[in-house]
Structures are given as structure tokens and as C-alpha cells.
Amino acid sequence: MKRIHIPQISDQSWFPGFLSRNIHEFMSWFVGKVGAAAPFLPIIEQGLEHADQIIAIEEEQGAGFETLAPLLDADIPIKYQKIDELNTKESGLYVSVNAFHKLKEEKARNLLRRIASEGHPLAIVEGNNDSLWQVFGMTVIVPLTVLLATPFVKPFRFSRIIFTYLLPVLPLVTFLDGAMALLKLYAPTDLDELTSSLGCKDYSWKSGKLDNGRGGKIIYLLGYPERVVESV
């Protein structure tokens, strides 16, 4: 695999929790404002052809499932499970939003194996990719937006003002974390490598990139049980 697994600063135990919260809140706010979760909908719709509800895989990070949830049909049942407490006996479409890159290869492979071996569909979606446009966006546009938009981010926090303008920790860490996130992304070829090693029978995998409508791409992995057609 070409990816490099580098721990992001805001995920470290030594990094102040209130600063991580500020970064995560900003990312969720930013993704919501630009509609960056909308391109995920076609993948989710395909996955829901194989399930009646969504199992949202939650991680401690921003720009996750909370950015997708408002775009979904209100009639779709949603259950939330923390990734470290995942009960794969629950039936539904397992969904990970902008978080799969945080998993090391063995943990990522184990997550896919557990869900697929139970015969449940899953959808992994990432709003970033390794294109030059995306690199520019994550390392220039996003940190610049931190500087310009901080007073408008909801919820408003004085700590966000202080650590953006008086002590510019948040723009710096957002820049560094964004760059490291790009290095950690699972490209479609990486995802294919993961799934090919699982050996799950009667299960199909699709991976690739889709246009995000803003000049970039999203990365996705879709898995679902194959339908068995009984002979008459």
C-alpha cells in the first residue's frame, strides 16, 4: 500500500481535548456549509438496496456521519454504534464517513471482515482524495477558512477565537492534520487490496472515485451480500 499511517495531532492523548473539540466542530460546520457530504448519497442509496436501516459507525472526529444525517430521508432508521464497541450482529447498512483513513491496516481489515462475514452491507466514504486540487484545498483553503470564518462557526466558543487569532494553534493544527489525513487515505487500489484478502464468500465489493461536483472526487467502498437466486 502507498498510504502512510501518521497519527494526527488532534487525535493524540496529549493534545488538549477542548482544542480537538474546536477542530472537530469547525470541520463539521465547514463540511455542512459547502455541502461536501452530498456526493456520498448515491453510494448510500446503493447500500440501502440491501438493508432497511443504517448503522452509523461513530468515531471521535469531525466531519463524520453528523454531516450526512441531515441529507438522508427522514424515514430511514439510524442506529449509532461506537467503532470500539461495534456489534456486527445488528442488521443494517454499516456506514463510515470521513473516518476510515484513521484506521491502521489490520484494524481496517478486521472491521471489513467482521461486517462482511455477518452478511451485512457496508459503505465507506471519504470526501478527500490524493489529487493536487484536494491537496491545495486541505492545506490552503481549509486553514484559510479557519482564519476567515472562526467568528461564525457554531457553536460559538471564545476558546476558538483565542486559539485562532491570539495564539494561532487551530489554523496550524488544521493544516498539519489535513496534510497527514491525505497521506493516510486508502485509495481504491488500497481498498481492493484489503478486501481481496478477506475471503468472504457470496459477498461483492465495489470501490472507486466519484465527482464531488466541485472539481474534486470522493473515494468510496461499497460491500454487499450477493443475492442467491433459487432455481425453480
Side-chain angles (χ1 to χ4, degrees):
M1 289 190 179
K2 298 179 181 179
R3 70 184 294 273
I4 303 173
H5 194 89
I6 306 175
Q8 289 167 260
I9 296 172
S10 61
D11 293 333
Q12 301 305 300
S13 58
W14 53 262
F15 190 71
F18 75 95
L19 292 179
S20 292
R21 180 187 63 191
N22 275 310
I23 292 172
H24 297 163
E25 288 175 347
F26 166 78
M27 293 305 299
S28 294
W29 174 86
F30 179 74
V31 167
K33 284 295 181 182
V34 302
F40 300 152
L41 290 175
I43 302 301
I44 303 303
E45 289 170 359
Q46 290 183 55
L48 284 171
E49 294 176 3
H50 307 271
D52 297 323
Q53 69 173 350
I54 287 176
I55 309 295
I57 303 174
E58 292 189 290
E59 280 214 58
E60 294 295 329
Q61 51 99 45
F65 188 82
E66 75 280 357
T67 62
L68 176 65
L71 307 179
L72 298 172
D73 189 317
D75 294 330
I76 299 173
I78 301 173
K79 292 187 177 180
Y80 295 84
Q81 289 197 36
K82 294 182 179 180
I83 188 168
D84 292 329
E85 303 172 3
L86 202 63
N87 173 20
T88 55
K89 298 296 184 182
E90 184 86 33
S91 295
L93 171 66
Y94 286 73
V95 177
S96 172
V97 178
N98 291 328
F100 195 69
H101 68 275
K102 291 179 175 286
L103 303 181
K104 292 183 178 179
E105 291 169 21
E106 189 54 40
K107 189 171 183 178
R109 186 178 290 108
N110 184 54
L111 176 69
L112 299 179
R113 180 184 292 111
R114 289 180 60 200
I115 297 171
S117 63
E118 294 290 346
H120 305 314
L122 67 90
I124 307 292
V125 287
E126 295 272 6
N128 294 326
N129 63 77
D130 55 0
S131 68
L132 291 177
W133 171 246
Q134 192 68 51
V135 171
F136 177 76
M138 282 297 292
T139 59
V140 178
I141 299 299
V142 173
L144 183 60
T145 304
V146 174
L147 291 171
L148 297 176
T150 284
F152 310 104
V153 176
K154 306 288 186 184
F156 178 85
R157 299 189 189 278
F158 283 109
S159 59
R160 185 176 289 115
I161 299 294
I162 294 170
F163 287 94
T164 296
Y165 301 117
L166 297 181
L167 296 170
V169 175
L170 297 179
L172 177 60
V173 174
T174 301
F175 163 75
L176 293 173
D177 272 7
M180 287 186 280
L182 293 175
L183 293 173
K184 293 162 64 175
L185 283 173
Y186 288 93
T189 52
D190 297 325
L191 295 170
D192 291 342
E193 185 177 330
L194 284 177
T195 57
S196 65
S197 66
L198 300 181
C200 296
K201 295 182 179 180
D202 302 321
Y203 200 89
S204 294
W205 300 96
K206 290 170 56 179
S207 69
K209 296 180 180 180
L210 291 177
D211 289 336
N212 66 6
R214 302 187 310 279
K217 303 277 187 182
I218 68 164
I219 294 174
Y220 72 89
L221 173 67
L222 182 65
Y224 50 89
E226 294 177 356
R227 292 190 177 96
V228 178
V229 179
E230 297 181 0
S231 58
V232 179

